[in-house]
Amino acid sequence: MMTSGELSTMLRRCLLTVKPFRMFVVGIGFFSVGFLMTSLGGQFSAKRPGDSPFTVHAEVMGGPESRGVLRKISDMLEVIMKRMDALSRLGNASDAHKLEELSSALDRIQPVGLVERIQAIAQNMSDMALRVEQILQRTLAGNKVRDGASGPCETPKDPRYPDCASKMNWMRVRWTSDPCYAFYGVDGSDCSFLIYLSEVEWFCPPLPWRNQTAAPTVRPPPKEQAAFRRDVGPLLDQVGTGKESLNFMTRRISRLAAHWATAARRLDDKLHDHWRERKRILVHVGFLTEESGDVFSPKVLKGGPLGEMVQWADIVSALYVLGHSLKFSVSLKELHGFLGVPPGRGSCPLTGPLPFDLIYTDYHGLQQMKQHMGLSMKKHKCHIRVIDTFGTEPAYNHEEYAALHAYRTHWGYWNLRSAQFMTMFPHTPDNSFMGFVAEELNETERRSIQREKVHNMAVMYGKEANMWKIQNKDKLLKILHRYMDIHGTVYYESHRPPEVPLFVHNHGLLPQQELQQLLRKAKLFMGFGFPYEGPAPLEAIANGCVFLQPKFSPPRSSLNHDFFRGKPTSRKVSSQHPYAELNIGRPHVLTVDYNNSEEFEAAVRHIMKSDVEPFLPYEYTCEGMLERVHAYIQNQDFCSPEAPFPPGNVSGGWWSGAAGPFVRTPNSSVLTWAPDVSHLPSWPPLSALHFLASDRGQSCVTACHSAGLICEPAFFRFINVKEAFSVLSFQCEELEWEMNHLFPAFSAEHSECGLQQDPLLFSCAGAGARHRRLCPCRDYRQGQVALCRDCL
C-alpha cells in the first residue's frame, strides 16, 4: 500500500488538472450565492475588520427561513470544497465512494422555496466532479497495473545501467523540450519516463511490471538478387526537377545513359552471372537542401562549381544501373519520411528499424541526420557513406584524439571508420575512392578528334572571373598569346568581365555539350591554379587536350593556405590537380612553375609540337566506376565486429617461424602473407597483403607507393601485434599501447615499439620525424587503384 507522501508525489501532476476545476467550483459557488441573493432580494453586509479578503459573510433581509437557506447553501459549498480537497488527495480505491458522499450531501440539502435553477447548478457541479473522479480513477488504475507489486515508479538502481538516474532527472526537467517524447507516450510522470528510457532509449533496465511478452522480432526483408538496369527513365523521375542543380543532374544522367548501358553489359560479362545482393539504398544530398542554404543551385547557370553535382549524378546513376533499390532525397521532409523520424526536433530515436542497408550523404546530410535521428544515429552510423570531396584523415575523424592533439576542424570528429568517407579522387587510401566519370570516346570519335585538332588553340580553365585573378596572369597570357589563340568560358550577364583580356575569345558560360565540342578542337587546356581537383581537366584530357597547370612550392595544405584551412586533412597539394600530375603525367599533363617565364614558355612550345591522343583512366570510365562501386557494396561491412588477430585459440601457431605468417619477397624488404597459412575473413583478401616498414619521417602512403603498392588500412589489424616488430628485425626494449595515429611504429632513438590502441586511428597518412611506421600495403588492378587484383 502506498503512503500518502508517495501518493502525493505521483498525483502532483494530475492535480494540475484538478486545481483549475476546484477554482471553477468556487466560482460557481459564489455565483450561486450571488444569484440566490438577487433572487431573494437580499444583500451583502459590509466587510468586517479582520476578515480575510476571501471570507464571505452574507446577511439577508428576510425571514428566518431565508437565512436558513443561505446557511444551507454555505454549508453545501463548504462540503463541496472539502470533498474536492479529498479528491485531490485520493490515495486508493476505497476513496471512490467520496464522490457519492458528496452527491448525497447535496441531495440532503433541499431548501424550501429555492428556484429550480439553483438545483440545476448543484447537479451540474456534481456531474463535473464525477467526470474528474473517473479520469483520476483511470489514471490511478493504470499506474497500479504498471506498478504491480514493486510499488511506485522509483528509479531502479542497476549497475548495468549507470546512466538511468541522470537520464530520469533530465527527463523530469526537459521532457517538454521536444514533442517527440509525447509521441512516444511520455506524459510527465515518472512511470512514463521509465517506460521511455527502458523501451525506447535503453538507458534503464526493463521494468518488471510491464508486459514482458517479447515484441515480435523484426525480420530483415529476404535477400534479392540485383539485376543490371539499362533504362534510366525511372531514375530521372526520382531525381526530378524544380531547381537548376537537379536539372543539371538529370541532363547529365540522360547524356551518359548509353555509356552506362554499355558499361553494365561489360561488367555483367566480367562477373559471369555472379550473384549480387540487391541493397536498399538512400541517397540524401544534404548540400542541396533548403535547410543547408542550397548555395549551389543559384550558381549552376552562373559559372559556379559543378564538380559535386557531377559526382552525385554519377553516383546515383551507378547505384541505379547496378540494380539496387534506390530512394533519393534533397529535403528534410523527404529524409524524415524515408527514415521514419518521429515528429519533433530530433531528440528521439527512429520509430522502427533502419529501412536501408546503405545511406549515401555528404557532410551537410551527416549533420542533418545527427540532429533528427537521435540515438539512432549512433546505432546506425555504420550504414552511412559520406561523399567527401577532399578526404578526412583518421586523426581528424577521431573526436577525442582530434581535441587533444589540435586536429579538430569544422568537418571532422565523426568517429566513423575512415573507409566510410568516399572521395572524388584517390587522395589518401584511408578513405574509399568513389570518383565520377568522364565521357569515353568511341573509335570514330577518337579519329575525328585527331583530324580536327587546332594546334594553336588553347582553352582556359575557369568559368568565374575571380578564377582569373592570379599574380602573373597578364604576363602568362601574353606569352601564350604569341603562340596560340586563347578561348575562355567565363560567365557574364551584360558586360565583359574586366579580368578577361580583350585578346581572349570569351564564349561565356557554355552548356556541357558545347564545351565538349570546344575541347575537342583545342590543343591546350590551361589552369590558373584554382579550382582545385575538379573534373574538368580529366574531361579535357579525355578529349585530346594537354593539361598545363601550375606547380605549388611549397605545397599547399591546411597548415599554410586559407582554402584548405579547416578541412579535415593534412594532405599537401603539390599542384592544382595532383591526380593529373601523379597518376596521369606526361605527355597528357605538364606541371610547371608559373613564376618561371622561361619554363612556362618552353612548356607551351612543347605542347604545340606534341601529338597527344585522347586518354581517360579506366577508373574514371563508366565501367570502372561500376566495378568499383559494385565491389564496395558487396564487400565493405562496417557493422559486423571484426574477429581478433591472432585468433585466441591458435595464437602460438601463427608465429612459430621467424617470419610468422609472412614470407619475404625475393630481393626486397617487403613481406607478403604466406600462401600456405590460413586466410582469415577479410576484404581485401589477405592474398593482397604486403608488409614493410617506412623510413623515418615517411608516411605509409609514401612508403607503399615507393614499392609500387597502395597502403591498405583494412590490413592494419594483422600487423598491429608485438611479433610484427621482430619480423622486421626491430628490437623492442619497451612496448606500449597508445592512441596515436602513427602507430604501429618503431622509434629508433629509444628502441620503443608502439602499438595502436584504438582501431579508428589506424592511418596510412601521417609521418613522424622519429618514427619508422609499420605499413600494410596491397597490390592493385591495372587502372583501378581502389581495388586489389583479387578484389572482384
Side-chain angles (χ1 to χ4, degrees), residues 513-550:
Q513 287 180 310
E514 294 184 28
L515 177 61
Q516 292 281 341
Q517 295 301 320
L518 189 65
L519 292 175
R520 291 184 179 188
K521 292 181 179 180
K523 184 65 179 289
L524 168 65
F525 187 66
M526 175 179 162
F528 284 124
F530 187 84
Y532 301 106
E533 301 177 305
L538 265 65
E539 294 173 346
I541 295 169
N543 282 289
C545 294
V546 176
F547 178 49
L548 178 63
Q549 65 168 344

Side-chain angles (χ1 to χ4, degrees), residues 487-503:
H487 295 253
T489 58
V490 184
Y491 167 80
Y492 65 94
E493 291 184 356
S494 57
H495 302 289
R496 181 186 180 91
E499 294 84 358
V500 181
L502 293 177
F503 56 78

Side-chain angles (χ1 to χ4, degrees), residues 81-150:
M81 294 299 297
K82 289 180 178 179
R83 294 305 182 191
M84 292 304 299
D85 285 335
L87 176 64
S88 70
R89 296 189 297 272
L90 191 60
N92 53 51
S94 65
D95 289 327
H97 67 281
K98 292 186 177 182
L99 253 297
E100 281 71 15
E101 292 179 2
L102 174 60
S103 298
S104 300
L106 292 174
D107 291 339
R108 288 194 299 270
I109 301 174
Q110 300 196 14
V112 178
L114 283 178
V115 294
E116 293 179 357
R117 283 175 290 182
I118 298 300
Q119 294 176 345
I121 291 173
Q123 183 61 46
N124 287 339
M125 287 189 294
S126 178
D127 292 342
M128 294 174 69
L130 181 61
R131 294 191 187 100
V132 172
E133 182 198 20
Q134 291 171 345
I135 294 172
L136 290 177
Q137 290 292 350
R138 285 196 297 268
T139 302
L140 290 173
N143 285 343
K144 290 176 184 295
V145 171
R146 290 195 295 263
D147 292 347
S150 63

Side-chain angles (χ1 to χ4, degrees), residues 139 144 159 244 335 343 468 549 554 621 645 656 668 703:
T139 302
K144 290 176 184 295
E244 285 302 326
L335 179 67
W468 292 56
Q549 65 168 344
T621 65
F645 179 81
S656 56
S668 172

Side-chain angles (χ1 to χ4, degrees), residues 195-446:
I195 293 171
Y196 177 83
L197 291 173
S198 63
E199 299 177 14
V200 180
E201 287 199 358
W202 327 288
F203 283 109
C204 294
L207 305 174
W209 44 264
R210 291 284 288 176
N211 187 349
Q212 298 302 309
T213 302
T217 302
V218 180
R219 297 181 180 179
K223 294 183 178 181
E224 299 178 0
Q225 184 171 2
F228 285 101
R229 298 188 182 103
R230 292 173 177 81
D231 176 16
V232 299
L235 176 60
L236 297 177
D237 294 336
Q238 268 197 286
V239 174
T241 55
K243 55 173 64 177
E244 285 302 326
S245 54
L246 298 181
N247 294 338
F248 174 86
M249 292 173 65
T250 55
R251 288 194 298 268
R252 179 173 177 85
I253 294 170
S254 298
R255 190 172 66 253
L256 293 175
H259 294 274
W260 287 114
T262 301
R265 185 171 57 254
R266 290 175 180 170
L267 182 58
D268 196 10
D269 294 339
K270 186 183 299 184
L271 296 177
H272 305 294
D273 296 323
H274 179 74
W275 196 88
R276 300 181 299 114
E277 182 181 351
R278 186 172 187 245
K279 302 286 189 177
R280 302 166 300 160
I281 299 177
L282 170 64
V283 175
H284 177 64
V285 190
F287 76 89
L288 291 183
T289 62
E290 297 297 333
E291 291 79 6
S292 69
D294 188 14
V295 297
F296 284 84
S297 292
K299 295 182 178 180
V300 170
L301 300 179
K302 297 183 179 181
L306 298 178
E308 288 84 355
M309 278 170 280
V310 164
Q311 187 181 33
W312 276 110
D314 296 345
I315 289 171
V316 296
S317 297
L319 296 174
Y320 180 82
V321 169
L322 285 169
H324 298 290
S325 176
L326 199 63
K327 297 292 184 183
F328 183 78
S329 164
V330 288
S331 73
L332 283 187
K333 182 179 179 180
E334 291 171 321
L335 179 67
H336 288 183
F338 289 145
L339 291 177
V341 174
R345 301 185 180 92
S347 302
C348 303
L350 302 183
T351 56
L354 187 71
F356 299 99
D357 301 302
L358 292 170
I359 299 175
Y360 289 84
T361 189
D362 52 23
Y363 264 120
H364 293 280
L366 197 60
Q367 184 65 40
Q368 290 166 354
M369 285 191 287
K370 178 183 178 182
Q371 293 172 349
H372 295 276
M373 288 177 66
L375 292 176
S376 296
M377 177 69 174
K378 182 177 181 180
K379 181 179 180 182
H380 299 306
K381 67 180 183 179
C382 61
H383 299 277
I384 295 174
R385 306 292 185 267
V386 184
I387 306 304
D388 176 11
T389 303
F390 291 95
T392 299
E393 294 175 8
Y396 295 84
N397 169 59
H398 193 292
E399 184 174 14
E400 179 184 355
Y401 188 79
L404 290 174
H405 297 86
Y407 287 107
R408 195 175 179 92
T409 70
H410 294 299
W411 302 104
Y413 57 88
W414 284 97
N415 294 323
L416 300 175
R417 298 274 287 276
S418 295
Q420 290 179 253
F421 297 97
M422 312 190 101
T423 58
M424 182 173 283
F425 292 94
H427 304 308
T428 169
D430 287 318
N431 303 144
S432 299
F433 163 45
M434 171 58 78
F436 59 94
V437 304
E439 295 188 44
E440 191 174 6
L441 305 177
N442 57 40
E443 286 302 318
T444 301
E445 290 171 327
R446 293 171 66 90

Side-chain angles (χ1 to χ4, degrees), residues 14 25 58 174 176 255 263 433 494 571 674 792:
C14 296
V25 171
R174 301 293 304 279
T176 58
R255 190 172 66 253
F433 163 45
S494 57
R571 185 168 58 94
L792 270 185

